[in-house]
Amino acid sequence: MGAGENTRTRRRAIPWVALALWIGVLAIVSPFASKLADVQHNRVTDYLPASADSTRVAKIQDRLPGGENTELVLVYHRDGGLTPADRTTAGQQVAAVARQHALTGTPKGTPSRDGTTLVYPVTSNEPGTDEKKRDALVDDVRHIAHDQDGLTVRVGGPSALATDASEVYQSLGGPLLYTTVAVVAVLLILIYRSPLLWLVPLAVAGVADFLSMGVAYGLHQAFGTTVSGQSSGVMTILVFGAGTDYALLLVSRYREELRRHERPPEAMRAALRGCGPAVLASSGTVAAGLLCLLAADLNSSRGMGPLGTVGVLCALAAMLTLLPAVLVLLGRRVFWPLVPAYGSTPTARRSLFAAMGGSAGRRPKTVLALGAVLLGGLALGALNLPGTVKQQDSFVDRPDSVAAMETLARAYPERSAQPIDVITPAGRTDATLTAIRATHGVASARRTRGGDGWTEISVLAAAPPQSTGETATIKELRHTLKGSYVGGPSAQQIDLEDTNARDRLVVVPIVLVSVLLILVALLRSLVAPLILAAAVIAVWGAALGIGGLVFGPLFGFHGTDPGLGLLSFVFLVALGVDYGIFLMHRMREESLSGAEPAAAALTALRTTGGVIASAGLVLAATFAVLTNMGLVQLVELGFVIAVGVLLDTFLVRTYLVTSASVALGRRVWWPGPLSRTPDPVRPVREPQPVK
């Protein structure tokens, strides 16, 4: 057997080796992947700012006897006014709750002035910090306190709201995964028009998602990385969205190379050499952008960075190793019925992107100006974004806890039904109580429990929850009570707003600098990276503006999640630059081959436009899956990112970046060597005959 035959034998064995290695990896991570759901938490401290007062309150409450309190309010209501029988029923139900569960103190009912409503605050430390026990307690209380003969009973309060939110987050696992897989499958079938090919990248993405779950669990165990329903859901979306994008690029290039190479292994090696650098650079850019979230002070944002990075890198590893191996082993028949034959030439057709490129190339400055005006006009819609979403408005549907809070707001407009938690050193309890009761806006204050050197005080404000008046009271308490901490749901909302504002000032510049440095290193230019960065910033502003035009008027949302601006910026910048790399990398290839700048830009758009459009549709569709979830913050995040990806794919990438490249010519590559005009070829002088 000759050396050439040995080389071919080894190359034929590579796909089998890769497949065997992946089977071994999956066997190793399988026990850990199944445990990710067990370490997923959606408690308040998993989302709060790390250094905020409200976070300190929640952590100290965990250490107090019984751990974190479960705070509920039982709301009894009859439109025509409560009858004596209604009050008897309410007392019996509350007594039944007290018999079956260890309550802190004896619940006392407070009737409303109009006589339609009776509210019983119920507090228990029986579940402690165990979320499942808390949810079981809430469910049991709802089972005991039920409607009867026209008397409506609603269970609300902070813990009931947390239980309802937890149900939504727990539902993300199954429905989110199944919906994402279904959406990607439909799009791949439409893109590939093959009964078999669509299954390959989808199955590989599923393998990558399983791997990411195991790695995420390992990160949590090793470094204490926060795993929440939001971060694990986004990780799954990134695996399928970004992974499918990389698969589309690789499969498209592999199809081209199969026409030039007789053997699939040689075609795959050529495809990996051609698109591998762009895929590596784009995934590296996304990972770098997401890791910048580690600089955030908000726990939920900081935890999303590592998990999102894990998703992208697992997708990258699978699409550059497992996918090529499976495609090579299946051979050309995987493309049936549109099998690319060796030596064949694809049918020449006038593509949509060739037409787009032609219009952008004829009048690039006009296209740029019109595009800038359009994006700027859309961005103005951000001024119409509703204010910060209140806790009771954070659900798409109206759960029992929200109905309870709405009834309370109508029946007790003069006071808050949501406690403010104050934690003070045990030696200062009496002085703190005196200072609290003297604070403007405080309706009542009482000591609830103590231990571990601290005392917990429950405060009710005179103003409704999360109103301007209650916010002023909380800020006054924090100013007055030195050495004490003020927390509770409303204080947490204040801290979320303040921390998100701080995180935007810190994280946004870090993301931009990181992305620009990667682009400069990849493209050997300063101008091209600035064009891509400006483009994605414009897309972000326009997507937020569209959100401002539809969130309130169309979706009926009463507020905007405080983290929407930061998270949408990070994702749109990282993912938008991702597509820019695909386009610019091909443009640079064409320029290195000797093409003129305008021709290089139009050729790059013509050859990559279809792939980028397909990838953009897939990524937008995967993030759009979030709009079907039950929490306003997930719907808003999914909508803004999906709209931004579509704008980037069909407007910015096809028209504006291409137009800018045509208008600037070689200057787009400044100060790299491609920015310099090549020396004209001098004619060879004929030798003069010797006289």
Side-chain angles (χ1 to χ4, degrees), residues 621-632:
T622 53
F623 271 99
V625 170
L626 287 175
T627 62
N628 196 39
M629 300 298 109
L631 289 176
V632 166

Side-chain angles (χ1 to χ4, degrees), residues 15-56:
W16 291 107
V17 172
L19 191 59
L21 287 174
W22 270 98
I23 292 173
V25 167
L26 292 180
I28 293 172
V29 303
S30 179
F32 306 108
S34 60
K35 295 180 180 179
L36 184 63
D38 298 333
V39 299
Q40 176 182 311
H41 294 289
N42 297 296
R43 294 173 57 226
V44 171
T45 50
D46 297 318
Y47 289 85
L48 287 177
S51 60
D53 255 28
S54 54
T55 309
R56 296 172 190 251

Side-chain angles (χ1 to χ4, degrees), residues 52-54 56-57 60 421-425 454 478 481 483-487:
D53 255 28
S54 54
R56 296 172 190 251
V57 168
I60 293 173
D421 298 327
V422 175
I423 296 292
T424 191
W454 298 94
R478 285 179 168 175
L481 304 178
S484 301
Y485 303 114
V486 180

Side-chain angles (χ1 to χ4, degrees), residues 581-648:
I581 288 174
F582 294 162
L583 181 67
M584 283 289 190
H585 186 267
R586 188 60 179 258
M587 195 184 302
R588 192 169 187 275
E589 278 189 48
E590 297 295 329
S591 298
L592 288 172
S593 300
E596 289 298 315
L602 299 179
T603 300
L605 177 61
R606 186 177 64 252
T607 54
T608 65
V611 178
I612 291 177
S614 301
L617 284 172
V618 170
L619 191 63
T622 53
F623 271 99
V625 170
L626 287 175
T627 62
N628 196 39
M629 300 298 109
L631 289 176
V632 166
Q633 53 262 44
L634 295 179
V635 175
E636 291 177 342
L637 182 65
F639 178 86
V640 169
I641 295 178
V643 168
V645 169
L646 292 175
L647 282 174
D648 187 78

